[in-house]
Amino acid sequence: CETCSKEEAKYRCPRCMKYSCSLLCVKKHKLALSCNGVRDKTAFVSVNEFTDLNLLSDYRFLEDVGRTADAAARHLAMHSSTTKRLLFSLRNKALKCNIDLRTLPIGFTKRRENSTTFNSTENKFYWHLKLVFPHCHAEYTLKRVPDDKTLADILKPYIDPVESDPVVCQRLKIYTASPHSDVRILMKIENRRQNSVRYNELDASRSLLDNLKGKVIIEYPTLFVVLKTLKNDMVVLGQ
């Protein structure tokens, strides 16, 4: 026994692996080490010590996480009439701007991420926006982007040699080193067959709202920033 060092050990703590001989010693060791006696499901296990029991434990742990996440997604607050009214209003406002905005069911990642709002006082959308730079394998998420902001202004903090953040500029140097005329902004066309992926080319000099008109948006826009001088498999509609 690692507590009294007198009797033969009969028990082993699932959390700290200390040996104990009796219930009294178990309680003493918990008090002395502030140990709750509950096995740490996320504790590191080396490959040499990894057994089928560890694999089963990890599987059950992931199942528990999945059930908890699912229960949170099904929470009544997520299905409240207020939430539904807000989504309905958001889709209607978008429709009036000739934008087919579609929302996903509760539980989808894009549904949880989306922070798009409509300001009735300003009569303006504030979009949740994702920028993807495929040549550098980089992605950035922007929140509360006003719909009257041009795409060129949206991209300035990322690819402008003067105004961009130094860290971002270094990561996206292939873009910052290229002339602005080589930069193309594409958006995937929704509701097409999986083997027929096409993109719309957007106008950097026009506002975000103007570029989104007449298009289908699922939750929020995702813009792909590419260089026309580099070979890529992103086919623009009409080509």
Side-chain angles (χ1 to χ4, degrees):
C1 176
E2 295 183 55
T3 302
C4 66
S5 302
K6 295 178 181 178
E7 303 293 331
E8 183 180 353
K10 298 178 183 177
Y11 313 106
R12 192 178 190 184
C13 178
R15 187 170 188 87
C16 63
M17 300 301 173
K18 295 286 185 183
Y19 286 100
S20 302
C21 64
S22 61
L23 181 60
L24 181 63
C25 283
V26 169
K27 289 181 177 179
K28 281 183 179 179
H29 113 263
K30 284 183 177 181
L31 188 62
L33 302 176
S34 299
C35 175
N36 59 12
V38 179
R39 186 177 64 84
D40 184 5
K41 296 179 182 179
T42 61
F44 173 76
V45 179
S46 66
V47 175
N48 295 333
E49 298 174 351
F50 200 84
T51 64
D52 289 344
L53 286 176
N54 296 117
L55 180 63
L56 182 61
S57 173
D58 287 352
Y59 180 75
R60 286 175 176 168
F61 173 69
L62 292 175
E63 279 190 322
D64 289 342
V65 171
R67 279 194 292 270
T68 304
D70 186 58
R74 296 171 186 272
H75 194 273
L76 290 176
M78 300 293 287
H79 298 272
S80 68
S81 56
T82 305
T83 303
K84 290 179 180 178
R85 281 199 304 270
L86 287 173
L87 289 177
F88 182 75
S89 174
L90 199 65
R91 289 193 294 264
N92 270 353
K93 296 291 185 184
L95 199 58
K96 289 179 180 178
C97 297
N98 194 25
I99 299 173
D100 187 356
L101 178 62
R102 304 182 185 182
T103 53
L104 295 169
I106 298 297
F108 276 73
T109 303
K110 289 189 77 172
R111 174 87 290 272
R112 292 197 302 269
E113 290 176 343
N114 194 2
S115 61
T116 301
T117 58
F118 183 83
N119 189 312
S120 300
T121 307
E122 300 177 10
N123 196 31
K124 183 190 297 185
F125 273 98
Y126 284 88
W127 288 96
H128 184 104
L129 188 64
K130 181 175 284 187
L131 298 178
V132 180
F133 298 86
H135 304 310
C136 297
H137 305 288
E139 290 186 7
Y140 298 94
T141 299
L142 289 70
K143 295 183 178 181
R144 292 191 57 79
V145 180
D147 62 12
D148 56 355
K149 195 171 186 178
T150 64
L151 298 189
D153 287 338
I154 292 172
L155 290 179
K156 270 185 181 179
Y158 298 90
I159 62 174
D160 190 277
V162 179
E163 297 188 29
S164 61
D165 180 89
V167 176
V168 176
C169 183
Q170 179 63 26
R171 186 177 183 187
L172 304 178
K173 58 184 177 182
I174 192 172
Y175 290 91
T176 54
S178 302
H180 287 299
S181 57
D182 283 353
V183 177
R184 303 166 72 192
I185 305 171
L186 309 180
M187 189 168 73
K188 184 181 175 183
I189 301 173
E190 303 293 350
N191 295 338
R192 289 182 66 91
R193 297 191 307 275
Q194 192 172 1
N195 60 352
S196 178
V197 179
R198 294 291 183 273
Y199 295 83
N200 278 316
E201 185 168 1
L202 308 183
D203 188 345
S205 64
R206 300 180 68 185
S207 69
L208 179 60
L209 181 64
D210 289 340
N211 277 290
L212 296 182
K213 285 181 177 179
K215 298 178 178 65
V216 177
I217 308 295
I218 297 180
E219 289 293 347
Y220 55 80
T222 299
L223 307 185
F224 295 84
V225 186
V226 300
L227 299 173
K228 64 181 181 182
T229 52
L230 294 181
K231 184 181 179 181
N232 61 73
D233 56 356
M234 302 173 77
V235 183
V236 177
L237 189 70
Q239 294 183 348

